[in-house]
Amino acid sequence: TKQGIPFVTTDVAKDLMKKYQDRLEKQKQQSSAPSTPPSPDPRRRKVELSRAEDINFHARTMASLREWIDAATVPPVAAAGAGAGAAVDDTTSEGSSFLLPPCNSFLRRALYETIESEYPSLILERGGRSAPNQIRVLRLSPEQKRRREERVRRENWEDLVVNQIGFWRVFRALSNACRGITEVNSIALAQNADGSNGSSGSGSDSSSSPDVYTVPAKRAVPIVVHNGLMDLLFVMTHFHSHTLPSSYEEAKALVHDTFPQVYDTKILSSECSDASIRNDSTVLSGLYEKVVAQDDENNMSKVLHFVDQNSQNGDSDGGSTTDQIHEAAYDAYMTGAVYVSLCKRILNRYRKLPAGWGGPQVGSLAHLSAQKDDKSTWKLFGRNKIYLMMTLYTIDLESPLSDPLSRGMSPSNTFRVEGIDPSVTTRDIVRCLSNLDNETRVNFEIVWVNDTSFMVAAQHIPDDVVGGGRGMLSPDDGNGESSGDASTTLTRHGQLIREALVRRFRKETIITLKEHLEKLDETEQEEAADNMNTTYMNWWPAKVASSLLGVVGWASPTKRKVDHGDSERGAKRRRTGN
């Protein structure tokens, strides 16, 4: 028996829907055609029986069928004994049927050809699971034939969407909702075989039939994840295509086209929230406990409820919240609850919303009504930014080429130190960067490249509003501080970090990340010039990918492995922030 839920990729789903459509059109043509013998296929020879036992079996079976037809006015029970091995049954909704005796496929083909030629008004079908080697003959009135066609169409449609396409329907529905569109006349997304969503049951996928079209939905629905890069890639490789584009930029564009509005609560908590959230653990369960379950001000635990279906059915032992963590349904609930709570916390810091956002009736999700190109939503709520573990970067699905450094960092104030003694640990680096400014806290983040190289990035995270004051939210100023002041502070802190690094690592090479990327750019341009077959479009994506991943040691995972046998060296591998 099959286990799990069936699923296919988009191309396979379209092919299955096209085959379903072709069968449906063929059935319609046959049902509307007059009851005349079908024209023989010239490419297929008619079966000729030569063995005496086959000829006798064929003759007896056809004789019993004729008796059944002639006894149309006799109750079906009276004809039950007609023909050895034959059986008669009756269904009030779809007329009467006659089950021919079992035989091999050769004889069944001979019977099909003879019956279709002599009695074109009869309907022939397989005997089913209970009679796999038999033919069922149906004699139906016009109304009974209509009811049967409806039943067969419904069963075929259910087999298509449940047993063949399966969970791909959910993927397609999520993508359409996120894109803010509704497909009309789609077989896969119809609620039933009659197409209650606009499909007549004879539509097909938009790629294969002009009858399917899209209309704007009332609103676009965002996809909300928590640290969801792997989840998005899993969904794309299982329901869109098993192979994603080899180009980093093309892969990003594909995800963005499929889900144009994504929010990652990992980004929302680590980059967009106040200091009490940013500086604490951003693990999903911890965020839920802090901003939902224990936050009396937002009172979200009374607004959002999780219903455990097992407990309602009496199948649950009444376990605690901790027991439900990492269960798919409960994790999805926690992600949604954390998203709503964090959005409310962010909006509570401002007294006025930008023009074009939803009014008070939208509540903490007012930003979802903003225009697609609204930069304040991108800046304040991390729209289409995905957390990228073990790097200094945040994936920006809206940017076709570049990705920003995470948590308020910049390439000009991120420093790469090369050629250090392998015995240097993270603790040594933190010690040399402590107490750099007596007036303000200097925030920084450390990422190890390998045993002899690391990077330190200056961070500028705006201070929270002091004394309960409330700022004015606007597209140009999302954090109550001008971009010029933020840049000045980040530059000053970067200079302090560089001076401290130079004092501690006097013989080692210290350059900014911007300088390092420029060197990579120059090197790859020289390689492109040496190879006449390499064009700018060939090496530029590679440069971007290496800048985002290879530069921080992504290509050498063995260098990032934590050695649990030595806590001091194990700590060296961690991404450390201050």
Side-chain angles (χ1 to χ4, degrees), residues 116-177:
E116 288 177 347
S117 176
E118 296 183 10
Y119 305 100
S121 62
L122 297 179
I123 296 175
L124 306 180
E125 63 179 23
R126 295 177 180 178
R129 293 183 179 180
S130 59
N133 298 322
Q134 296 175 259
I135 300 175
R136 188 180 301 278
V137 183
L138 301 174
R139 182 176 56 205
L140 308 177
S141 66
E143 177 62 21
Q144 292 169 340
K145 185 177 181 181
R146 183 190 64 80
R147 287 198 297 264
R148 178 182 180 276
E149 289 176 351
E150 291 180 354
R151 175 184 62 80
V152 171
R153 185 180 66 179
R154 183 177 64 255
E155 292 175 351
N156 290 340
W157 176 82
E158 291 176 352
D159 179 68
L160 172 73
V161 299
V162 175
N163 299 324
Q164 299 181 48
I165 293 177
F167 203 78
W168 181 87
R169 297 181 73 210
V170 178
F171 167 77
R172 185 59 168 249
L174 287 174
S175 178
N176 287 347

Side-chain angles (χ1 to χ4, degrees), residues 64-79 82 88 90 95-98 122 139-141 144:
S64 64
L65 177 62
R66 294 186 185 96
E67 291 180 7
W68 175 70
I69 295 174
D70 293 339
T73 57
V74 180
V77 176
V88 177
D90 181 66
S96 59
S97 65
F98 186 76
L122 297 179
R139 182 176 56 205
L140 308 177
S141 66
Q144 292 169 340

Side-chain angles (χ1 to χ4, degrees), residues 406-446:
S406 61
R407 297 170 65 90
M409 297 179 283
S410 74
S412 298
N413 297 288
T414 300
F415 306 98
R416 181 182 176 104
V417 183
E418 300 176 338
I420 67 171
D421 188 328
S423 64
V424 174
T425 66
T426 302
R427 185 176 303 171
D428 297 328
I429 303 171
V430 172
R431 188 179 298 115
C432 86
L433 298 177
S434 300
N435 302 320
L436 297 181
D437 193 338
N438 295 328
E439 297 180 359
T440 60
R441 176 187 178 93
V442 177
N443 296 295
F444 58 85
E445 190 150 351
I446 302 171

